[in-house]
Amino acid sequence: MQNLKLTAKLFVKDTFLTLSFLAFFIYINYREIKSSFALNVNDALPYLEISLRLSLFCMVYFMFISYEFFYKLKSSNLQECVDATDNGSNMLYGYQFIVMLGLNSIITLTFMIYNTVTYFILDINHTEYLIHIIFNIFVNIFLISLVGIVLGMCVALVFKRLKAYLLLTLFVLLTSSIFESIAFTVFNTTGHNIYSVFEFFNLYSPALNWTPNSNFGFSLLPYRIELLLFWIFAFLTIVLLKLSRNNKTSMKILAAFSAILCFMNIALYFQPSSKLMMSNNPSACLTNDVLYYFNTEQKEEEADFEITKYDLDIEVTNLLSVKAKLTLNDGNLPDYKFTLYRGYEVLKAVDENNMILKFHQNGDYIDIENNNSDLSEIVLTYTGYSPKFYSNSQGICLPGYFPYYPHSGYRKIFDIEGQGFEKVLLSKPTDFHVNIKANKKVYCNLEKDGNSSYAGKCNGITFMSGFLDRTTASGIEVIYPYLNNFEFTPEKIDAYIKTFLQSKNDTQIIKKIFILPNLNLSGYERTVLYSDYMTVQQLINLPVQYELQFINHKKLELYRLMNFYQYDKTCFNSLLSYETTIPSEFDNQKYATVFSEKIKQLSESEVLEKTNAYINDDSDKRTIMEFLKQLQ
């Protein structure tokens, strides 16, 4: 204990170390107080985000200060004194490490206090989010700073000052957004994807530069913890091996144990998992599907059979694991065709007697051979994930129009032009019985049939979980993200629903509305109408979005253009002006220009009448430009 006090005093007596820590501590408090004065009750996540943005700063500070502390003490009088005792130098490094942990704990506790106070000021009243705050601060401040501490210690033991600073600076660059920009440039210019290297060094909370996901929060998924622990134990292993140079058996044993933990964590890190990455990474949810379907031919083929009932056993861990029992209306076909999103790998296909069925999976399409003359059921076991529609220990977003469960026949599931998923729904409401296991409370469009079971009829089944709550407005149950008070409070939701119902002039039954998170959804994905419920991204313009459900999404752009021409000439003229700036190679996208020319050639009433007929005729498969050019 005496040597620990002496080590701490050496830190305090060093002017550079002491003043740098005080300056760092003051700056942290300044940033947190400044954000507290800007408190806004409309959204809770930005305050946690402000703290998480400082994690790089914390890692860099502790990395360099740790190096200075360990490097300077190597030549101090204290080391000479302790070296005279048995195992003295190793004890000294241990004391130094404890001092650095203490300083890290002070900074971590500071962040904890500010964010906890903010939680109570915002009156969130959901303990799960308070736990989310505490865990985020621990992971993104304490553990990331700990990476810096052990790296500084490691470099101080191995390298002299110049090489050390070059190595530390390189590590900072590799973990920063600078490397991400390089990866983005390399991919765009050469087509080579080096993002996996960047992600290996990306210690910080992802998506800090994107709109926060109020349903999900900030990622605390296992792969992030495993990556941080890998770096901590990797550097710690080098430190322990360096300290065992005098044939210290205990240090060698600790080094071996640390190395084992290092390899265990990196092995777990590389296991497939649903990560929800919002970035320019080609594997992330923003671009992964666009890149894949741009180079992949999709199929459309009606099935000769129907699935009359779904029995789904779903387990959500790091992946989505499903056992899907599909009841068929015709068991005498030679083969059966299904559509299932490509990210889910089919592991096994059996019949109702558990006899193996041969199958072939190619992308989104599955072919199953019938080796039973009277096949009544097919049971598929599959597992996997989607980069966009996540299913993991932190949350679930599986909208009913996304084929995470099998559909009969071949279906086109992605629209390249709209860069979003098609609305892949069942042709009619079908029986579902689902058992689902997940870490968090799950919300479903069907009614509960037990503790974790749901049953009923629908033409698309939706599951969501996360920072969600429910309220009832005018008889409609709304599942919403309680962290976003800007739009989603019970009072505001009630007002939006009343406005929506007043504008609604049909008999369509709406029992539930699910608020989808911001996942770069295409325009027609943001509002989807099912047999008796809806998934939406916003409520503020729900009456307009609801009407658009009855318009073919491939003709939506022309529908909006026609409405601008009729009701908002200023916006229409702005579109005309904008299209004059578009290069000639994009003439096939200048809808407003051609639309205006046709009105001059024919007449306003004739063009509007024929345009309206085209929009409402689903059998007319012409593109918008083909229709406009053929107007006469």
Side-chain angles (χ1 to χ4, degrees):
M1 182 61 70
Q2 184 64 29
N3 287 333
L4 177 60
K5 290 180 180 179
L6 289 173
T7 307
K9 285 181 180 179
L10 282 177
F11 184 96
V12 173
K13 289 181 179 180
D14 188 290
T15 304
F16 171 75
L17 296 178
T18 303
L19 290 181
S20 66
F21 182 76
L22 287 175
F24 179 65
F25 182 75
I26 291 170
Y27 177 74
I28 293 298
N29 281 270
Y30 165 75
R31 286 288 298 268
E32 292 297 303
I33 292 172
K34 182 180 178 181
S35 65
S36 298
F37 277 116
L39 277 179
N40 188 326
V41 296
N42 290 334
D43 203 339
L45 281 176
Y47 308 111
L48 178 57
E49 181 180 353
I50 290 171
S51 296
L52 300 189
R53 285 181 180 277
L54 293 173
S55 58
L56 170 61
F57 186 46
C58 290
M59 196 277 289
V60 171
Y61 170 76
F62 276 105
M63 180 176 65
F64 283 101
I65 209 69
S66 174
Y67 170 79
E68 287 296 330
F69 187 36
F70 286 98
Y71 189 76
K72 288 184 178 181
L73 286 177
K74 283 172 62 177
S75 58
S76 69
N77 294 329
L78 179 62
Q79 176 160 357
E80 295 176 4
C81 176
V82 180
D83 275 342
T85 64
D86 185 37
N87 205 29
S89 62
N90 289 351
M91 290 178 62
L92 172 61
Y93 289 123
Y95 296 144
Q96 293 173 261
F97 184 68
I98 292 172
V99 170
M100 294 306 300
L101 282 182
L103 298 176
N104 188 9
S105 298
I106 291 172
I107 297 300
T108 302
L109 184 60
T110 301
F111 281 107
M112 289 273 193
I113 291 171
Y114 281 111
N115 280 274
T116 303
V117 170
T118 300
Y119 167 83
F120 287 107
I121 290 175
L122 294 177
D123 196 27
I124 296 173
N125 290 325
H126 285 81
T127 306
E128 62 175 352
Y129 182 62
L130 179 59
I131 295 172
H132 184 72
I133 289 173
I134 294 171
F135 198 20
N136 255 290
I137 298 300
F138 174 76
V139 170
N140 294 294
I141 301 299
F142 185 83
L143 286 186
I144 288 178
S145 297
L146 184 56
V147 172
I149 290 171
V150 292
L151 174 57
M153 184 179 185
C154 174
V155 173
L157 290 171
V158 178
F159 298 102
K160 292 186 178 180
R161 192 175 297 276
L162 179 59
K163 290 182 179 180
Y165 268 79
L166 289 174
L167 183 61
L168 295 178
T169 302
L170 176 62
F171 190 80
V172 172
L173 292 175
L174 290 174
T175 62
S176 71
S177 58
I178 295 174
F179 189 23
E180 183 179 17
S181 300
I182 294 173
F184 179 70
T185 303
V186 169
F187 182 76
N188 280 344
T189 54
T190 69
H192 294 294
N193 185 0
I194 62 170
Y195 268 93
S196 58
V197 181
F198 164 71
E199 294 297 343
F200 188 64
F201 287 91
N202 184 18
L203 309 179
Y204 316 108
S205 182
L208 292 179
N209 295 321
W210 302 86
T211 303
N213 184 337
S214 297
N215 297 43
F216 187 81
F218 295 104
S219 178
L220 289 170
L221 295 173
Y223 83 94
R224 290 204 59 233
I225 316 298
E226 291 152 6
L227 181 62
L228 290 172
L229 291 178
F230 160 76
W231 285 111
I232 290 170
F233 286 117
F235 295 135
L236 192 59
T237 300
I238 297 173
V239 169
L240 292 170
L241 286 173
K242 188 70 176 176
L243 295 180
S244 67
R245 63 188 181 278
N246 294 327
N247 200 28
K248 297 288 192 303
T249 304
S250 59
M251 289 294 105
K252 291 180 179 179
I253 293 174
L254 287 175
F257 183 65
S258 179
I260 291 171
L261 292 176
C262 175
F263 285 115
M264 285 177 56
N265 279 285
I266 200 59
L268 291 171
Y269 167 78
F270 281 113
Q271 294 299 308
S273 63
S274 175
K275 295 181 178 180
L276 184 58
M277 294 189 293
M278 300 291 289
S279 71
N280 292 316
N281 187 333
S283 300
C285 80
L286 300 179
T287 56
N288 183 276
D289 293 307
V290 175
L291 293 173
Y292 174 82
Y293 289 104
F294 186 79
N295 298 300
T296 303
E297 182 180 356
Q298 298 184 72
K299 302 178 182 179
E300 290 185 273
E301 184 177 328
E302 291 294 328
D304 296 325
F305 66 97
E306 290 183 1
I307 301 173
T308 59
K309 185 181 180 183
Y310 287 86
D311 288 280
L312 306 177
D313 287 314
I314 300 175
E315 185 174 5
V316 180
T317 52
N318 292 335
L319 299 169
L320 182 73
S321 299
V322 181
K323 182 178 181 181
K325 183 167 71 173
L326 314 174
T327 303
L328 312 174
N329 69 335
D330 187 346
N332 295 307
L333 300 176
D335 57 66
Y336 294 83
K337 297 177 173 61
F338 296 93
T339 298
L340 179 70
Y341 178 68
R342 64 188 172 87
Y344 303 111
E345 180 187 1
V346 177
L347 305 176
K348 184 171 65 172
V350 299
D351 63 14
E352 64 272 21
N353 298 316
N354 207 34
M355 299 295 292
I356 298 294
L357 297 173
K358 292 182 179 180
F359 70 91
H360 176 68
Q361 184 176 17
N362 183 18
D364 298 318
Y365 308 113
I366 304 167
D367 293 283
I368 298 179
E369 296 181 18
N370 182 5
N371 53 12
N372 184 337
S373 59
D374 188 14
L375 189 65
S376 62
E377 293 177 353
I378 291 178
V379 182
L380 295 178
T381 302
Y382 58 91
T383 186
Y385 65 94
S386 160
K388 184 171 184 175
F389 295 115
Y390 53 88
S391 50
N392 51 50
S393 57
Q394 195 169 322
I396 301 171
C397 179
L398 295 171
Y401 67 86
F402 172 64
Y404 68 92
Y405 53 93
H407 289 251
S408 58
Y410 292 154
R411 306 287 297 273
K412 178 185 176 184
I413 73 171
F414 196 84
D415 178 32
I416 291 296
E417 291 182 5
Q419 297 194 357
F421 282 91
E422 300 274 5
K423 297 175 183 178
V424 181
L425 301 175
L426 303 176
S427 58
K428 60 183 179 181
T430 304
D431 282 317
F432 279 86
H433 186 273
V434 184
N435 292 307
I436 183 167
K437 294 180 181 179
N439 286 349
K440 291 192 171 186
K441 182 178 181 179
V442 175
Y443 295 89
C444 179
N445 59 290
L446 299 179
E447 298 302 318
K448 269 197 170 185
D449 191 37
N451 290 334
S452 58
S453 299
Y454 300 85
K457 282 192 172 186
C458 63
N459 64 345
I461 186 168
T462 292
F463 284 104
M464 289 179 63
S465 75
F467 298 120
L468 303 172
D469 206 343
R470 71 173 81 204
T471 186
T472 300
S474 300
I476 297 177
E477 184 179 322
V478 181
I479 291 85
Y480 67 98
Y482 58 77
L483 293 179
N484 182 2
N485 287 336
F486 179 75
E487 185 175 355
F488 306 118
T489 63
E491 297 77 18
K492 292 180 180 179
I493 290 172
D494 186 64
Y496 289 135
I497 296 300
K498 285 179 179 177
T499 301
F500 164 61
L501 293 177
Q502 288 170 3
S503 68
K504 186 172 173 289
N505 54 14
D506 59 24
T507 58
Q508 172 70 45
I509 296 174
I510 306 292
K511 294 181 179 178
K512 294 184 181 182
I513 294 178
F514 293 81
I515 310 297
L516 297 177
N518 184 0
L519 294 173
N520 200 43
L521 301 176
S522 62
Y524 51 87
E525 286 182 279
R526 293 171 188 167
T527 306
V528 179
L529 177 64
Y530 303 82
S531 52
D532 61 358
Y533 74 102
M534 297 176 71
T535 54
V536 306
Q537 188 171 307
Q538 289 183 305
L539 292 177
I540 194 169
N541 60 349
L542 187 56
V544 175
Q545 293 297 321
Y546 180 79
E547 291 300 322
L548 294 179
Q549 291 303 295
F550 304 101
I551 306 295
N552 187 322
H553 72 266
K554 293 183 178 180
K555 303 176 181 180
L556 271 178
E557 198 165 349
L558 182 59
Y559 174 82
R560 293 191 179 101
L561 181 66
M562 184 176 68
N563 276 275
F564 286 147
Y565 178 81
Q566 290 178 291
Y567 308 114
D568 192 347
K569 282 292 197 299
T570 301
C571 189
F572 182 81
N573 291 330
S574 295
L575 283 173
L576 279 175
S577 177
Y578 168 72
E579 288 184 354
T580 61
T581 65
I582 300 177
S584 58
E585 58 263 32
F586 296 103
D587 282 349
N588 63 335
Q589 298 177 15
K590 297 180 179 181
Y591 301 141
T593 301
V594 180
F595 187 82
S596 180
E597 290 172 353
K598 289 297 180 179
I599 287 176
K600 293 176 183 177
Q601 293 174 10
L602 305 172
S603 69
E604 179 181 293
S605 59
E606 185 177 358
V607 171
L608 292 176
E609 182 181 350
K610 290 183 177 180
T611 300
N612 195 56
Y614 163 74
I615 289 172
N616 289 287
D617 184 3
D618 287 337
S619 64
D620 192 334
K621 303 297 183 181
R622 288 177 294 175
T623 65
I624 293 175
M625 189 55 75
E626 286 173 345
F627 161 75
L628 289 174
K629 288 184 175 180
Q630 292 170 15
L631 263 176
Q632 55 184 4

